[in-house]
Amino acid sequence: MVRCGVGRTALNLIFQVRDAADAPLCLLVRRARVAVRMSVPRLEWTAGTAAHDAAWLSGSGALPPRRVVAVDDTIRADDAFRLASESVGLLWGGDFQNARQLLQAMTRRLNKQTERSRLPDDMPMRERFNRYRQGQARRARTLGMVLIPLDAAQAIPLRRAPDVRAALRHALDLPEGNAVVSLRELQGMVGAYEWHRNGVPVPALAGETIHPDFGVFSPIRGEYLDLAARAPLPMGGTAFDIGTGTGVLAAILARRGMPMVIASDLSPRALACARANIERLGLSGQVAVQEADLFPPGRAALAVCNPPWLPGKASSTLEQAVYDPDSRMLRGFLGGLAAHLLPGGEGWLILSDLAEHLGLRSRDQLLGMIEAAGLVVIDRLDTRPRHGKAFDASDPLHAARLQETTSLWRLGAAKP
């Protein structure tokens, strides 16, 4: 029997692995109970007569499964998929590479299910989007059921396991003692650590790299950065980069000649990430990173904001870079902009219109927000996306992505 504690939401990452060996289940699954010790989520389970206890690790807020079965290389892929589809966790005790193979086998079965339940071509785009999100959530939940143990040194005590300790330390504040983590989330942490180590080349910074931290939005979609690199700058003064994230927009403004840039954010991870990138680029004399809810104190000649592009509730902490509940950040930036601009200053709103093509927000609603905030549109610069999904005809949202445009709206305060 396995007893599980409380945890948080899973990453939406899929990893390429091969088929697992087919064999019968080895242990009976029973319902679990919750155990929380101090503020650290815990899992407690018994295998045979032996009791086990471990911390539950999640960098994205993933909830642990309420039922768990201890498994190894002998489990059949069909049995594993059935249990995972019922939200039963599979606590792995076999060869690590076989766990990866099992995950791939489960992915193939999910893909077949998705193909059999393709959405009708005439389904309204908003409903299609909602169904797509529901399907993605089910996929993430199912594939997140393969669980990997960690020992007290944060190493994986399994055959042929890689050394993931540096990636774990980069992503999480690790508790003492043994732990358990979802294999999908673990590999997400490893991938994020590689992005952090190697950096993301940014053409708008003459090819220099930005190094995103785990949980901080990575600037891999460069088209919005290109807009900031070519929009005409106001003369002199200070610039605000609202919701700076990695600090990439602040760095672009500084390199373009803004004498002072104040980069603000509320996330401790983002603030640390931005400071590290600004220092790495040698821009600490021009860019100050400050904790603030949207605007820092004072007024600026330019205020730039790239809010999450889709209105809606994030299902995990990592989705907060994509979803803006009730357009809070968008409304907050627009609503506070006029009061934080110097006379003749500008606000740059960098925003995709994908929400419009998905039926989540209309262009008239956006223009209404701008007008209600006492702002006028000076100009708009547009670009088309270059990422792979924009050209993937098999994507259920392809029709909307094909029409997507990213815009830099140059805004000013309306004259009284």
Side-chain angles (χ1 to χ4, degrees):
M1 179 173 66
V2 180
R3 298 181 177 133
C4 306
V6 182
R8 316 210 180 238
T9 334
L11 284 168
N12 293 330
L13 298 172
I14 300 170
F15 303 99
Q16 300 303 310
V17 285
R18 293 171 295 172
D19 233 327
D22 288 335
L25 286 172
C26 58
L27 289 175
L28 179 66
V29 180
R30 297 190 181 174
R31 187 164 296 277
R33 70 171 174 83
V34 171
V36 181
R37 296 181 181 174
M38 311 212 24
S39 61
V40 180
R42 307 286 304 180
L43 286 102
E44 297 178 354
W45 70 96
T46 58
T49 59
H52 302 273
D53 175 80
W56 170 258
L57 299 184
S58 174
S60 63
L63 287 168
R66 291 185 175 276
R67 294 189 295 157
V68 178
V69 58
V71 300
D72 57 25
D73 309 283
T74 62
I75 189 171
R76 289 168 49 91
D78 285 340
D79 290 331
F81 181 67
R82 174 178 54 81
L83 289 169
S85 298
E86 297 169 355
S87 298
V88 177
L90 308 173
L91 184 60
W92 193 258
D95 181 275
F96 179 84
Q97 300 305 322
N98 286 345
R100 296 179 67 245
Q101 294 168 9
L102 177 63
L103 199 60
Q104 177 61 19
M106 292 165 58
T107 300
R108 287 198 297 272
R109 285 157 174 78
L110 273 171
N111 290 342
K112 289 180 180 178
Q113 284 187 352
T114 301
E115 184 63 26
R116 287 195 299 267
S117 58
R118 292 190 65 175
L119 304 178
D121 292 338
D122 59 352
M123 178 179 286
M125 187 53 70
R126 182 165 185 161
E127 183 180 351
R128 175 179 288 268
F129 173 70
N130 289 334
R131 294 275 293 276
Y132 170 78
R133 282 205 79 191
Q134 291 168 6
Q136 290 298 96
R138 286 193 298 271
R139 171 182 287 261
R141 186 166 55 249
T142 300
L143 295 178
M145 289 295 111
V146 179
L147 311 180
I148 298 297
L150 302 169
D151 63 22
Q154 291 91 46
I156 302 173
L158 302 175
R159 296 186 303 276
R160 295 199 294 167
D163 186 348
V164 298
R165 289 172 293 180
L168 283 166
R169 286 191 287 268
H170 171 247
L172 302 172
D173 293 325
L174 296 172
E176 295 181 359
N178 298 343
V180 173
V181 63
S182 162
L183 176 57
R184 294 184 74 242
E185 185 155 352
L186 175 63
Q187 294 206 30
M189 294 175 194
V190 172
Y193 182 61
E194 290 305 306
W195 279 112
H196 170 74
R197 286 199 318 121
N198 298 325
V200 179
V202 178
L205 290 173
E208 291 191 80
T209 55
I210 288 290
H211 296 254
D213 283 357
F214 179 82
V216 181
F217 184 70
S218 176
I220 54 176
R221 285 189 57 168
E223 62 265 20
Y224 78 97
L225 302 178
D226 295 341
L227 290 174
R230 64 184 174 91
L233 288 173
M235 295 295 293
T238 296
F240 292 161
D241 174 22
I242 309 299
T244 192
T246 61
V248 63
L249 284 171
I252 290 173
L253 295 176
R255 283 287 170 85
R256 291 194 63 193
M258 291 301 293
M260 184 64 193
V261 183
I262 299 177
S264 67
D265 212 298
L266 269 181
S267 163
R269 282 186 179 273
L271 292 167
C273 180
R275 290 188 180 106
N277 280 311
I278 294 303
E279 182 176 355
R280 187 181 294 110
L281 293 168
L283 296 173
S284 298
Q286 279 178 269
V287 180
V289 180
Q290 295 183 9
E291 180 180 352
D293 187 359
L294 296 177
F295 293 92
R299 293 175 179 260
L302 174 65
V304 181
C305 184
N306 174 36
W309 290 349
L310 298 180
K313 183 180 179 181
S315 62
S316 73
T317 54
L318 295 183
E319 283 195 350
Q320 291 171 5
V322 179
Y323 293 96
D324 186 10
D326 195 32
S327 300
R328 176 193 173 275
M329 187 171 182
L330 172 61
R331 294 177 188 275
F333 173 69
L334 294 175
L337 181 57
H340 287 88
L341 287 180
L342 293 169
E346 287 188 20
W348 289 358
L349 171 64
I350 303 175
L351 192 67
S352 161
D353 67 356
L354 181 61
E356 298 173 22
H357 301 300
L358 293 173
L360 305 177
R361 179 177 57 228
S362 70
R363 177 58 57 93
D364 285 344
Q365 286 176 312
L366 176 61
L367 293 175
M369 292 181 203
I370 292 172
E371 182 179 2
L375 303 169
V376 295
V377 178
I378 300 170
D379 192 11
R380 194 185 78 222
L381 284 69
D382 296 333
T383 188
R384 299 303 300 274
R386 301 187 294 267
H387 59 88
K389 280 193 174 181
F391 309 100
D392 181 4
S394 67
D395 188 324
L397 306 180
H398 177 65
R401 297 190 195 279
L402 196 61
Q403 303 175 71
E404 182 185 3
T405 297
T406 301
S407 300
L408 184 151
W409 297 77
R410 294 177 58 202
L411 306 174
K415 294 181 180 179

